[in-house]
Amino acid sequence: MAAVQGHLSNGADGADGTNAGGEDAPLAFRRAVAGLRGVRVRPEVELDPTPPPRRLAPFSYALEAVVTADGADEDEELAEGRLILLHDPAGHDAWQGTFRLVTLVHADLEPEIAADPLLPEVCWSWLTGALEARGLSYGEPSGTVTRASSHYFGAMSEREPSTRIEIRASWTPSEHPAPEPARSGRRPEERAGEDAAEPGAPDTGAHLAAWCDLLCQIAGLPPVGAAEAGVVSLPQRRGPGAR
C-alpha cells in the first residue's frame, strides 16, 4: 500500500486536524510522524489517518486500522483499532518521557474462545510480545483488557450470543539520540548547544508494525515469516461486520 499520510494536531489546527504541526512542530515530533507515514503493512490491514485528540498532549497524530478477511468475503472485518502518538516536549511525569503511544483494539470472538478464563492475560501478552519480538524498548506500560458478552432478546432473539475483546493500552517508546543535522559553514562550538537541545524521536515505524502484528493476531490471521513461528493466534472468525 502507499505510504500513510495523516492528520496532526497541535491545538491550533482546523476542524479535521489537518495542516497542523508542520514546521511549527518540534523536529522530534516531525521525525516520529514521518516514521509512521513510511510503514508498509500486510494486505489484510487497512490503515488510514484519522483526526487525533486535541487535549491529551500539545502534539498528536492518529491512525485507525481494520483487519479484513483474506478471501471471498474481503469486506468482512475481523478486528479494528486506533493508534495515537502523543508528544509533549516538556515531558510528562506519568510517561517518563516526551512521547506516548495510546491504543484501542477490539474484535469479536467465537463463544468457545471467549470462555477461556486466561484470555485477558493472553491478549495482554500479545501486546507486549509484539513489541519485544521486534526488539523494541519501551517503558511505563499500562492498560486494560475487557471481555464483554452480549445476549439478544425480543426481535433480536435469533441472533447468537457474541463476545467482544477490547484492549486499551499505552506505553512510552524509547527515544533515539537525535542525529546531528548537517549545517555547512557552522563551527562545532556554534552547533553544539542547538543540537543538544533537540531530543531524539522513537522508532515509531517499528512500533506501528508491532501494533499491526497485534491486530492480525487478535483477528486470527496466521503469522508471517519464520521469525514469528510458534506465535499462536486466535482461530479466524467472523468479525464486527461488513463495512
Side-chain angles (χ1 to χ4, degrees):
M1 61 178 292
V4 178
Q5 297 303 308
H7 302 277
L8 302 94
S9 174
N10 68 351
D13 50 87
D16 63 354
T18 58
N19 299 320
E23 293 301 321
D24 294 332
L27 179 59
F29 178 68
R30 284 185 276 135
R31 287 184 180 133
V33 171
L36 292 174
R37 286 174 166 170
V39 173
R40 302 297 197 275
V41 297
R42 56 190 291 180
E44 298 94 337
V45 180
E46 299 176 14
L47 194 61
D48 296 298
T50 187
R54 300 168 180 272
R55 298 179 181 178
L56 298 181
F59 300 91
S60 59
Y61 179 88
L63 294 168
E64 60 184 4
V66 173
V67 180
T68 56
D70 185 17
D73 299 326
E74 293 185 354
D75 288 334
E76 184 183 26
E77 295 180 2
L78 301 176
E80 54 191 337
R82 192 180 194 210
L83 183 69
I84 303 167
L85 172 68
L86 304 176
H87 179 53
D88 186 342
H92 196 292
D93 290 341
W95 302 355
Q96 293 296 300
T98 62
F99 285 92
R100 189 75 171 172
L101 285 164
V102 180
T103 186
L104 168 64
V105 172
H106 46 81
D108 287 349
L109 307 178
E110 297 293 350
E112 61 272 18
I113 301 169
D116 186 343
L118 296 179
L119 182 64
E121 288 82 359
V122 170
C123 289
W124 181 258
S125 72
W126 285 346
L127 170 61
T128 57
L131 295 169
E132 291 162 6
R134 291 185 176 269
L136 295 171
S137 177
Y138 64 95
E140 306 304 318
S142 178
T144 62
V145 177
T146 304
R147 174 171 41 190
S149 297
S150 297
H151 297 262
Y152 303 95
F153 302 92
M156 302 175 66
S157 60
E158 294 183 358
R159 295 182 60 177
E160 293 291 329
S162 64
T163 300
R164 168 162 288 205
I165 196 76
E166 178 183 274
I167 303 173
R168 293 179 179 268
S170 64
W171 64 96
T172 299
S174 296
E175 300 168 19
H176 295 305
E180 182 176 333
R183 295 188 180 93
S184 58
R186 304 292 301 280
R187 294 192 299 272
E189 59 271 21
E190 294 175 328
R191 300 196 311 259
E194 297 174 3
D195 293 348
E198 183 60 56
D203 188 353
T204 50
H207 281 268
L208 174 57
W211 181 72
C212 289
D213 293 342
L214 168 67
L215 275 174
C216 292
Q217 197 164 12
I218 200 171
L221 298 184
V224 175
E228 295 174 307
V231 176
V232 179
S233 299
L234 294 178
Q236 201 165 20
R237 62 202 173 276
R238 185 168 182 79
R243 304 180 85 180

